[in-house]
Amino acid sequence: MPQALVIGIDRYSAPRIPNLNCAVNDAEEVSARLEAAGFDVVTLTNDGATGEEIESELEVGLNERITDEDDPVLIYWSGHGMTDLREKDDRDRGYSTFLLPCDTDLDKPLGTALAVQHMWALLNKVKTRRLLVLLDTCFSGAFVGGDSRGFSLGAKGGAVADSDDFLQMEGHGRIVVSACGPNEVAREDPKHGHGYFTKALLAAFERGADTGDRKVKAIPMMADVRDAVQRDTKNAQTPSLHVSAQGRDWSVPLPPPATYRPPMPSWAFAGTAGGVGKTTLAMVTAELLAESGNTVLYLDADIAHYGGTSEWCRRASIDIGHIRTFADHVATFSRAKVRMPSRHLSDKLLDVTPEYLRRYDCGKILLLPAARASDKLFVFVLLAEIKNRRANLTCQQILNGAFDRGSREGATCIVIDCGATFDPLAVNSFASAHHPFIVATSVAGAKDKRDTVLSNCAQLIEDFDRTRVETVVNRVPSLDALTQNWGRPGFGRPGMSFHYLPFDRKLFQDWEEGRPNFELGYDQLTHQWHQILVASDRNVCGGLHRDCLPTEWDRFSKWALWLMNAPEWAEAEKGRLTRVLRRTTLLAGVYCALSLTGLTNVLLRQFAGSDDEAVPGGGAAPVDDPSFMPLWSAIGMAVVFGLFFLGNLINGLLVRRRRRVVNEVIKHSVSVQELQKWFSVPLDEGPWWKIWSRSRRAAIEWLHKRVVATRREQLPDGRTIEVYG
């Protein structure tokens, strides 16, 4: 079985040794990849990576686990290296370069650090003929700034040379790779959380895994690593490769590609077909995220149709101009010829924040547009190349570049419109998100299309987890159509359940036209979608990104706080409702009396045993008949006024609920905290027989509409509505 020893040290006990930022992260990431590839891994980090523990593992632990001399062994070390530059005397044995365990004493390097020659002796005892050593440390050079590894003592001295015994180990298939040259330092890349060498090494693993081969030749792989490090460090760091005579065919077992995730919380939307409302839900999600103060990067990756780009630009009344689109960015990774030279393009994103979000000082929405309308032919060629040639690693590099643009402008979360064409770029965009959504309709065959999308993702992404994907059946005309083609909501295999949204043509038309009733309040579309987003975050991420979404109070506060500064309005509204309730009660009493009168007349005739047929020839009723009107008139009066009574009774209950809401607002408007506490109570809480609990949402929606209407009437034309009225 392959064996591995992985060491990463960020924190050293000696105060004179500078701490590192990425060494432990390097070690943990390498350990995870090797374990996925089938290695038996021992990982030592920080306090656990003492000199004694490392020597014990090299001399005893590894040899106890090796069962065959052909078992491959990989040793990885990320941390400080040191060159001793003190003056040598005749007794100096030439120990000049050291690897530093966490408990190194700089005044006693021979006794507490691991000299090159001592490491050679330990590695020579490892009972394998196949050994690969990867050292992301400094073997020489001065320690420079806070982003380097290694430092020097004294004023002058030597460095590790190619002739050192450490680099001339005998045995079958032994390779030693150092992160830098003999007079260089190994640097960290804080932006990506890895050393430059380790970052290039992990990328090489990914490239090999993308080819479908689970092994890669060590020497070609290290050549790629060297080129990448030199490019990233601008030739300030050159990895060194040293191979024994028998080691040229050494192959490294590769793990499957690691799960790729964007650097910030992300929501991705893919459709089973065009026209399912995917872009609508993606845009509403961006608006909801911005409501809670986020700066949202809206990545329109649907370069074939760019519906989101068109809609955002139309709403904001702006033009793409010389902004670099996502298609332009993808083209830099391809052979497709761009229409506009890159030197004429800007990486600045388009600010498409809706006016109502600006008005209430919420977050922002930054658009990375998909493509220009004039780029149709260019996009067609680009899509063909993506479909045929794009590998997962390249797709991830493309996405990284797009996300970096958002990070530079302060984005805190991402919404990705993936499109319906499932090429490798769309699949990687969709599979990488923390919250992937498939949007479908309730028509026949839509469920099969959803399964096809999931199968395509699983074929391209080896560790794709379909249980993370949420399905939204959108624009449902009726529950019968939903049940017939999808089954009952919320049931089925794990990952196969679904949410649904009804189709309300007026709601969608209002949203598309940006009508005011979609401003930070209670429209049914955004409320239902908000609940689905919260449920998805709870189911998929355990509520990890709940803070990115607005709370109920966030959605109330922009208009509810107005009530605190307008107590006279609440009192007046309470008085109005009281008067309405009195009139309703009075009318209900009148209608009840009239209905009872008719009913009484019917009963009197029945008890008297009299009807029109009892008198021959249809004459008058007997003298002893106590009724005072014909039977048909009495029945009509009882039914009609009985219905009026029931209507007024129901209306009275509705008015009472609304008056209670106003009473609660007046009661809790003593402070923002009290008002927030009341609004934050779950709106659907309570058993079904508690009418107040069941109807609270409807009453608060009514209150919201009354407040918005009142504020609009109070303001002259052209004035904007202030946050606090």
Side-chain angles (χ1 to χ4, degrees):
M1 181 177 185
Q3 301 293 327
L5 172 62
V6 178
I7 301 167
I9 308 172
D10 279 337
R11 303 290 177 260
Y12 290 81
S13 57
R16 292 166 56 193
I17 304 179
N19 289 328
L20 297 170
N21 299 313
C22 306
V24 171
N25 188 44
D26 286 345
E28 291 176 346
E29 184 70 18
V30 170
S31 293
R33 302 293 182 89
L34 294 176
E35 286 177 354
F39 278 82
D40 180 12
V41 183
V42 172
T43 305
L44 305 177
T45 58
N46 284 343
D47 293 342
T50 62
E52 181 180 357
E53 188 66 30
I54 293 171
E55 288 191 46
S56 174
E57 187 60 34
L58 287 171
E59 190 170 6
V60 180
L62 274 175
N63 288 324
E64 288 180 348
R65 296 197 303 275
I66 294 173
T67 58
D68 188 277
E69 64 178 4
D70 284 325
D71 283 348
V73 175
L74 188 148
I75 297 173
Y76 171 88
W77 190 316
S78 180
H80 272 309
M82 181 183 75
T83 296
D84 187 353
L85 301 181
R86 294 173 298 181
E87 293 285 352
K88 297 181 173 62
D89 55 29
D90 294 338
R91 295 173 297 174
D92 197 318
R93 299 178 55 192
Y95 295 108
S96 60
T97 304
F98 303 87
L99 300 180
L100 305 188
C102 71
D103 57 349
T104 298
D105 184 348
L106 293 183
D107 295 324
K108 303 175 182 178
L110 291 177
T112 58
L114 294 178
V116 166
Q117 288 80 355
H118 187 46
M119 278 292 295
W120 168 80
L122 292 171
L123 293 173
N124 236 13
K125 292 183 179 181
V126 178
K127 299 176 181 178
T128 182
R129 298 190 300 171
R130 305 177 64 207
L131 178 66
L132 175 62
V133 182
L134 305 172
L135 301 174
D136 195 355
T137 65
C138 296
F139 278 98
S140 64
F143 178 71
V144 182
D147 61 344
S148 304
R149 295 176 184 170
F151 54 97
S152 59
L153 298 175
K156 58 183 178 180
V160 177
D162 291 344
S163 59
D164 278 356
D165 289 339
F166 182 57
L167 308 177
Q168 298 289 335
M169 291 182 299
E170 297 179 358
H172 176 79
R174 291 179 181 253
I175 299 177
V176 178
V177 182
S178 59
C180 57
N183 296 298
E184 297 170 343
V185 292
R187 303 172 184 273
E188 290 185 331
D189 181 6
K191 181 179 179 181
H192 293 93
H194 290 297
Y196 283 104
F197 171 75
T198 301
K199 183 182 74 171
L201 183 70
L202 296 173
F205 283 172
E206 292 283 2
R207 277 192 296 273
D210 276 341
T211 65
D213 190 3
R214 281 291 164 260
K215 289 187 178 182
V216 65
K217 298 293 185 181
I219 294 177
M221 181 181 73
M222 293 308 166
D224 291 342
V225 169
R226 179 196 60 205
D227 294 341
V229 172
Q230 286 182 309
R231 181 179 63 250
D232 291 344
T233 63
K234 296 180 172 57
N235 295 319
Q237 182 179 332
T238 304
S240 302
L241 173 67
H242 309 277
V243 186
S244 65
Q246 298 87 2
R248 297 188 180 277
D249 293 329
W250 216 97
S251 296
V252 180
L254 289 179
T259 301
Y260 174 76
R261 290 284 179 270
M264 58 192 91
S266 54
W267 286 258
F269 296 84
T272 56
V276 297
K278 162 187 62 68
T279 298
T280 299
L281 295 182
M283 295 177 71
V284 171
T285 301
E287 292 183 8
L288 285 171
L289 291 169
E291 277 189 28
S292 58
N294 290 291
T295 298
V296 184
L297 169 62
Y298 189 97
L299 171 58
D300 190 357
D302 188 3
I303 59 178
H305 301 97
Y306 46 85
T309 296
S310 301
E311 185 64 23
W312 282 122
C313 290
R314 183 188 66 80
R315 287 190 178 192
S317 300
I318 58 177
D319 184 67
I320 295 176
H322 291 278
I323 299 296
R324 187 191 303 275
T325 67
F326 188 59
D328 293 328
H329 176 62
V330 174
T332 62
F333 290 81
S334 73
R335 294 177 295 183
K337 186 177 180 180
V338 297
R339 287 175 51 104
M340 191 176 299
S342 59
R343 65 179 179 273
H344 296 156
L345 298 174
S346 168
D347 278 345
K348 187 174 179 60
L349 302 174
L350 295 174
D351 189 344
V352 293
T353 310
E355 176 58 32
Y356 75 92
L357 294 176
R358 297 176 189 272
R359 181 188 311 155
Y360 293 119
D361 195 25
C362 296
K364 296 193 299 183
I365 301 175
L366 303 177
L367 171 66
L368 176 50
R372 297 173 181 81
S374 59
D375 287 343
K376 289 186 178 180
L377 181 59
F378 160 63
V379 167
F380 177 79
V381 175
L382 190 60
L383 284 172
E385 185 180 348
I386 290 173
K387 188 171 184 180
N388 294 331
R389 300 177 181 275
R390 196 67 62 212
N392 286 343
L393 182 64
T394 305
C395 293
Q396 293 168 11
Q397 291 174 337
I398 291 172
L399 293 174
N400 267 335
F403 299 150
D404 284 346
R405 287 176 63 179
S407 298
R408 288 195 297 270
E409 297 199 32
T412 56
C413 55
I414 306 168
V415 175
I416 310 174
D417 185 349
C418 298
T421 303
F422 264 67
D423 54 70
L425 182 58
V427 170
N428 276 272
S429 303
F430 181 72
S432 68
H434 296 91
H435 300 280
F437 284 88
I438 291 179
V439 184
T441 59
S442 59
V443 300
K447 190 174 183 180
D448 294 334
K449 291 181 180 178
R450 186 273 309 268
D451 294 338
T452 301
V453 170
L454 293 174
S455 298
N456 290 340
C457 292
Q459 290 175 8
L460 194 60
I461 307 296
E462 183 169 341
D463 58 347
F464 177 73
D465 183 5
R466 65 172 58 200
T467 62
R468 293 178 51 254
V469 179
E470 298 277 356
T471 301
V472 181
V473 184
N474 194 23
R475 302 181 179 181
V476 176
S478 67
L479 285 179
D480 290 340
L482 179 71
T483 305
Q484 179 179 357
N485 296 315
W486 282 86
R488 297 180 60 190
F491 292 86
R493 296 174 291 159
M496 296 295 105
S497 59
F498 60 92
H499 309 280
Y500 74 96
L501 289 169
F503 182 47
D504 188 321
R505 186 177 299 277
K506 184 178 185 304
L507 282 177
F508 278 95
Q509 184 177 354
D510 287 346
W511 178 83
E512 290 171 352
E513 296 178 3
R515 301 244 175 111
N517 61 316
F518 276 81
E519 292 189 5
L520 294 173
Y522 265 93
D523 59 88
Q524 200 62 24
L525 172 68
T526 55
H527 169 65
Q528 291 185 24
W529 182 238
H530 177 261
Q531 289 185 317
I532 291 174
L533 290 176
V534 172
S536 168
D537 183 59
R538 182 176 60 247
N539 297 337
V540 177
C541 291
L544 181 64
H545 302 132
R546 179 64 182 87
D547 291 341
C548 294
L549 296 166
T551 63
E552 291 289 352
W553 172 248
D554 292 329
R555 310 215 67 222
F556 282 130
S557 60
K558 302 303 183 296
W559 62 268
L561 289 177
W562 178 83
L563 296 171
M564 291 190 60
N565 291 342
E568 67 285 351
W569 181 88
E571 291 290 350
E573 189 68 19
K574 177 183 176 182
R576 185 185 71 82
L577 290 172
T578 300
R579 292 192 296 272
V580 172
L581 182 61
R582 288 172 182 169
R583 289 197 299 268
T584 302
T585 303
L586 179 62
L587 286 174
V590 172
Y591 292 146
C592 180
L594 291 174
S595 179
L596 289 175
T597 299
L599 183 63
T600 301
N601 187 75
V602 173
L603 293 176
L604 288 175
R605 292 181 67 88
Q606 290 297 113
F607 289 141
S610 172
D611 54 36
D612 293 338
E613 295 178 357
V615 180
V623 177
D624 59 349
D625 182 2
S627 64
F628 48 85
M629 64 177 65
L631 180 62
W632 63 269
S633 180
I635 294 175
M637 177 181 288
V639 172
V640 171
F641 288 107
L643 292 175
F644 285 170
F645 167 73
L646 289 177
N648 272 264
L649 183 63
I650 294 173
N651 188 52
L653 290 175
L654 179 62
V655 173
R656 284 178 183 274
R657 297 185 202 118
R658 292 175 175 176
R659 189 175 67 170
R660 183 167 181 176
V661 167
V662 176
N663 273 327
E664 291 288 322
V665 168
I666 295 173
K667 176 181 176 182
H668 291 88
S669 290
V670 294
S671 68
V672 175
Q673 290 75 20
E674 280 295 314
L675 194 61
Q676 179 178 358
K677 182 179 178 181
W678 179 70
F679 271 98
S680 298
V681 174
L683 299 184
D684 296 322
E685 192 179 64
W688 64 269
W689 61 84
K690 288 188 177 181
I691 298 176
W692 158 245
S693 297
R694 296 282 289 178
S695 64
R696 188 180 181 202
R697 167 164 294 285
I700 292 178
E701 289 179 8
W702 162 83
L703 180 62
H704 167 252
K705 293 176 182 178
R706 288 286 300 163
V707 168
V708 171
T710 301
R711 292 168 68 184
R712 189 175 292 117
E713 291 170 1
Q714 291 176 350
L715 294 172
D717 292 340
R719 268 189 61 187
T720 58
I721 300 176
E722 302 296 334
V723 175
Y724 296 102

